[in-house]
Amino acid sequence: MCGISGIFNPRGPLGPDAKSACERMNGAMLHRGPDQGGFHEDDGLVLGHRRLSIIDLSSGQQPMISGCGNYAVVFNGEIYNFAELRRELEGLGHVFRTRSDTEILLEGYKAWGRELLGRLRGMFAFAVHDRRAKVLFGARDPIGKKPLYYRLAGDTLYFASDLNALRASGVDCGPISAEAMSLYFSLGYVPAPYCILSGARKLASGEAFSHSPKGFETWTYWDIALGNEDASMDEAAAVERLEGLLDMAVSRRLVSEVPLGAFLSGGIDSNLVVSTMARASKEPVKTYCAGFGERTALHGVRDERELAAAAAAHYHSVHEEIRIAPDGDVQPASLMPYLGEPLADPSIIPTYLVCREARKRVTVVLTGDGGDEPFGGYSFRYLPHLREQKIRSMVPGPLLGPLAASMGGLAGMLPGLGRLRVPMRNLAVGPGEAFYLDQCLWAGEAGLLGGSLAKHRDAARDLVLSLYARAAGRDDLTRMLYVDTRLYMCEDVLVKADRMSMANSIELRSPLLDQDLVSFAFTLPGSLKIKGGECKRPLREVARRRIAPGLADQPKTGFSFPLESYLRAGWKAEFESAVFAPDSVLREHLDLGKLRDVWRRFQAGENGKVGFLWAAFVFALWAENPAAPVRS
């Protein structure tokens, strides 16, 4: 796991300060690669690299140059099938000088060009320079686990793994983008290809780029295939296929020359990963579970350490509990430099803390991320929408709107019917629009947005509906899962995992997000994923065969912490200082009068808008770093 950077102009030499600019970019990413650093210069090119050594510790240094001298590469991530690709390339006559997966990119690009991307299985962001052709070619992995930011300034391309590193080069990344800011306050994150700074962009998951004398281009080389549903697949066959894919995904991720372990909770996803690791490993697996203080529910947050300890005993793992305490141990402001962009996912706090503690013990950790979005694990989101779809199929279209409106009005007048408000609201609009209203975590707070954000209020809606429309022809659940996988998982869950793990120089691997496993998940109809009211049914059936008894039927819980408690106590003063400061960047773009009223009601005990309050807090803290004015 590493940090990469570079500057490239295919039309002429770079300025005299290019090397120092790349050095500054590297210096801003020391946490991503504390073990080694290196540079490579050529005509019109500087490449930089920071290394966290995982495989081939002695000879995997970067930037790496091909034996013929024509190709150079910088690479962040892991190619899990590098051994198979190496054997294939050796059969074609290629000679390797190292044991690293990095060299696969050099020899693979030499052999297959852009077609290399279809052969890779892993998590990655890389750039390969072809000296003779004056081309810089690169890509992000299909699921989007590793980031890549870039800025095209005239003919010169700047790129880096981190937005702060890109800015450290000195290139003007522009002011804050009002459109990206609007997306953030609707979704809680800034989705690729948007960037919070208007002059920079993010390469999207499954996207590649090329920069040459012909110009700069990007293209999508991989997306979830939505037209290959296997209607003949029954549950038994799906479970058998999943078991094989899970075995392969886990075994691919056990290759490491440094200490390796796994996060273990009481949920089925991490238990599936650990149980499969235990089957494949000769030595006991090292497992870790985090919790707050003593083993007890704290302010409504469920503690899973007791379940995890029982599961660990079942797998005979070497298990350790990690006690974390955010208040006084870490302040939100201290995490902003690692985020690069604002991210309003409160679980950045416990994720950072558990990664920090795990790094004292291991360098690589396998996680259970990815079991919910492709397989339908969020019952609180999907089950209500499926019920609404059933009503849509039973009530004639012309009657549905008036019926929903009248029932919604009645629910507003009679407190006992308040739980009907959301389904009636959803039934009054189309299915895609209804899913958007739930997808956008703070869509109901649109009244708080103002200034230059007002004209971008529909940005999130348009994005969600465009993805929902892309999955047209599939069942309603599959369309929702596609949107959540492409948006929430790729742009929130994986961003959080990358930034908080790299802040602690630890590598996270997610077997359930193996490209082949995710592709298979989307060949299954929604009726196989949620069956009899049970979510992610195929994974649960695999779990019933493999994991500790009783855990397959445990309710889902997320990795969260008592946000309300900390905002009302330890972080209250910091919130008010950052958000309501006279020079707060939010003053021009939110209605701070309304927001102050929301804050007062929250302090009095209302929790309904805590998500928006947290988003405002994170943005205000992030914006305290030097930034230009918001561009409308």
Side-chain angles (χ1 to χ4, degrees):
M1 204 60 58
C2 309
I4 64 175
S5 60
I7 307 171
F8 176 59
N9 186 336
R11 296 185 180 276
L14 299 173
D17 63 341
K19 174 73 179 296
S20 62
C22 201
E23 288 174 344
R24 291 194 299 273
M25 286 197 279
N26 259 22
M29 297 187 295
L30 288 174
H31 57 286
R32 297 191 75 95
D35 296 333
Q36 291 173 328
F39 298 92
H40 169 68
E41 293 184 87
D42 206 332
D43 184 31
L45 173 77
V46 180
L47 296 177
H49 187 263
R50 291 299 318 179
R51 187 185 187 199
L52 177 63
S53 303
I54 305 292
I55 296 173
D56 194 6
L57 306 186
S58 62
S59 60
Q61 292 85 355
Q62 297 184 48
M64 186 176 289
I65 316 302
S66 65
C68 66
N70 187 59
Y71 302 96
V73 66
V74 283
F75 162 51
N76 170 26
E78 304 286 352
I79 306 300
Y80 297 126
N81 64 333
F82 77 97
E84 301 100 287
L85 292 176
R86 178 180 178 127
R87 287 192 292 270
E88 185 176 357
L89 286 163
E90 286 175 332
L92 296 174
H94 292 255
V95 177
F96 287 82
R97 297 166 298 144
T98 73
R99 296 178 291 106
S100 74
D101 52 348
T102 304
E103 198 171 5
I104 292 297
L105 298 175
L106 286 172
E107 298 302 320
Y109 184 69
K110 186 193 303 186
W112 302 309
R114 294 183 178 186
E115 299 305 313
L116 165 68
L117 294 174
R119 298 170 181 263
L120 300 177
R121 294 294 183 270
M123 55 177 178
F124 53 79
F126 69 84
V128 175
H129 179 236
D130 183 332
R131 191 170 189 268
R132 282 192 293 269
K134 296 185 178 180
V135 171
L136 187 71
F137 163 76
R140 281 185 74 196
D141 64 82
I143 310 300
K145 297 172 186 173
K146 295 290 105 185
L148 193 66
Y149 289 83
Y150 66 92
R151 163 71 163 141
L152 189 62
D155 290 328
T156 303
L157 177 71
Y158 296 76
F159 69 88
S161 297
D162 183 274
L163 179 58
N164 285 343
L166 189 67
R167 297 173 73 182
S169 71
V171 68
D172 181 11
C173 291
I176 297 172
S177 163
E179 185 174 18
M181 192 173 176
S182 179
L183 285 165
Y184 169 78
F185 276 109
S186 291
L187 297 167
Y189 47 86
V190 180
Y194 300 96
C195 177
I196 195 63
L197 298 181
S198 60
R201 303 286 277 180
K202 296 196 290 273
L203 210 63
S205 58
E207 191 173 34
F209 76 88
S210 176
H211 192 36
S212 71
K214 296 179 181 180
F216 179 78
E217 63 170 329
T218 62
W219 67 95
T220 298
Y221 71 88
W222 189 90
D223 193 4
I224 295 167
L226 294 165
N228 61 350
E229 179 177 327
D230 187 350
S232 66
M233 181 76 68
D234 62 16
E235 185 175 284
V239 170
E240 291 295 330
R241 178 70 174 135
L242 271 177
E243 285 207 275
L245 287 170
L246 180 62
D247 287 338
M248 179 179 65
V250 169
S251 65
R252 282 175 170 174
R253 287 160 178 80
L254 295 180
V255 178
S256 174
E257 296 181 17
V258 294
L260 177 148
F263 290 148
L264 179 63
S265 70
I268 71 168
D269 297 335
S270 65
N271 274 270
L272 274 172
V273 170
V274 171
S275 64
T276 306
M277 291 174 70
R279 291 156 60 109
S281 303
K282 295 180 180 178
E283 300 295 327
V285 177
K286 297 176 182 177
T287 54
Y288 307 95
C289 183
F292 296 89
E294 300 301 324
R295 277 190 186 178
T296 181
L298 177 63
H299 303 289
V301 175
R302 183 184 178 203
D303 191 297
E304 296 193 315
R305 280 175 289 179
E306 189 169 342
L307 290 172
H314 182 77
Y315 311 130
H316 304 290
S317 70
V318 179
H319 188 66
E320 185 174 354
E321 293 183 358
I322 297 175
R323 293 175 59 178
I324 56 180
D327 195 4
D329 193 26
V330 64
Q331 294 298 316
S334 67
L335 302 186
M336 297 304 115
Y338 300 116
L339 287 179
E341 293 184 277
L343 175 66
D345 187 332
S347 63
I348 60 173
I349 303 290
T351 301
Y352 172 85
L353 290 169
V354 72
C355 285
R356 187 187 69 184
E357 295 305 308
R359 184 62 174 92
K360 299 173 183 177
R361 300 152 173 87
V362 291
T363 309
V364 177
V365 173
L366 273 64
T367 80
D369 286 342
D372 292 311
E373 294 81 8
F375 287 97
Y378 300 127
S379 59
F380 64 93
R381 284 171 59 73
Y382 304 134
L383 291 181
H385 280 288
L386 292 179
R387 295 186 193 108
E388 290 160 14
Q389 296 305 327
K390 192 174 232 182
I391 296 173
R392 290 179 195 277
S393 68
M394 295 167 57
V395 179
L399 298 178
L400 189 60
L403 177 64
S406 61
M407 289 295 293
L410 186 62
M413 292 185 288
L414 300 175
L417 297 178
R419 59 192 173 86
L420 294 177
R421 289 179 187 173
V422 170
M424 291 305 113
R425 175 204 70 184
N426 288 349
L427 288 169
V429 298
E433 187 84 13
F435 187 64
Y436 152 75
L437 291 172
D438 288 346
Q439 166 75 26
C440 296
L441 304 182
W442 306 290
E445 318 304 331
L448 293 170
L449 303 185
S452 61
L453 303 190
K455 67 180 182 180
H456 297 292
R457 270 199 193 114
D458 290 336
R461 174 186 175 276
D462 294 343
L463 177 60
V464 171
L465 293 184
S466 68
L467 290 171
Y468 193 85
R470 194 179 296 176
R474 295 295 298 270
D475 58 79
D476 296 312
L477 178 61
T478 298
R479 297 179 78 177
M480 291 186 276
L481 299 185
Y482 177 73
V483 176
D484 272 352
T485 300
R486 289 296 312 276
L487 277 182
Y488 175 65
M489 188 189 75
C490 290
E491 309 296 348
D492 182 316
V493 175
L494 294 182
V495 172
K496 170 194 67 181
D498 173 79
R499 305 307 190 269
M500 295 299 94
S501 62
M502 286 291 92
N504 294 286
S505 306
I506 190 169
E507 175 174 303
L508 301 186
R509 299 177 178 178
S510 306
L512 296 179
L513 288 175
D514 182 89
Q515 179 183 339
D516 295 324
L517 199 154
V518 171
S519 294
F520 173 71
F522 279 90
T523 68
L524 301 177
S527 58
L528 279 183
K529 295 179 181 178
I530 295 184
K531 193 172 181 180
E534 186 175 59
C535 291
K536 54 183 183 186
R537 179 67 171 266
L539 276 184
R540 286 189 186 277
E541 289 302 313
V542 175
R544 289 185 176 107
R545 298 182 180 189
R546 294 193 171 196
I547 73 175
L551 288 182
D553 299 311
Q554 284 290 324
K556 175 176 178 53
T557 58
F559 190 23
S560 58
F561 77 103
L563 175 62
E564 295 88 351
S565 174
Y566 289 109
L567 282 179
R568 290 189 177 114
W571 299 339
K572 179 181 177 182
E574 188 179 5
F575 179 98
E576 292 177 345
S577 174
V579 173
F580 299 124
D583 60 347
S584 170
V585 70
L586 296 175
R587 189 165 295 279
E588 300 176 45
H589 310 289
L590 298 181
D591 187 327
L592 287 194
K594 289 182 180 179
L595 188 63
R596 193 180 292 274
D597 183 58
V598 169
W599 177 246
R600 287 195 196 100
R601 285 185 277 119
F602 169 76
Q603 291 298 325
E606 291 186 15
N607 288 338
K609 294 181 174 60
V610 66
F612 193 88
L613 290 172
W614 176 251
F617 186 31
V618 169
F619 197 93
L621 292 175
W622 173 85
E624 287 179 354
N625 294 320
V630 175
R631 186 184 73 175
S632 60

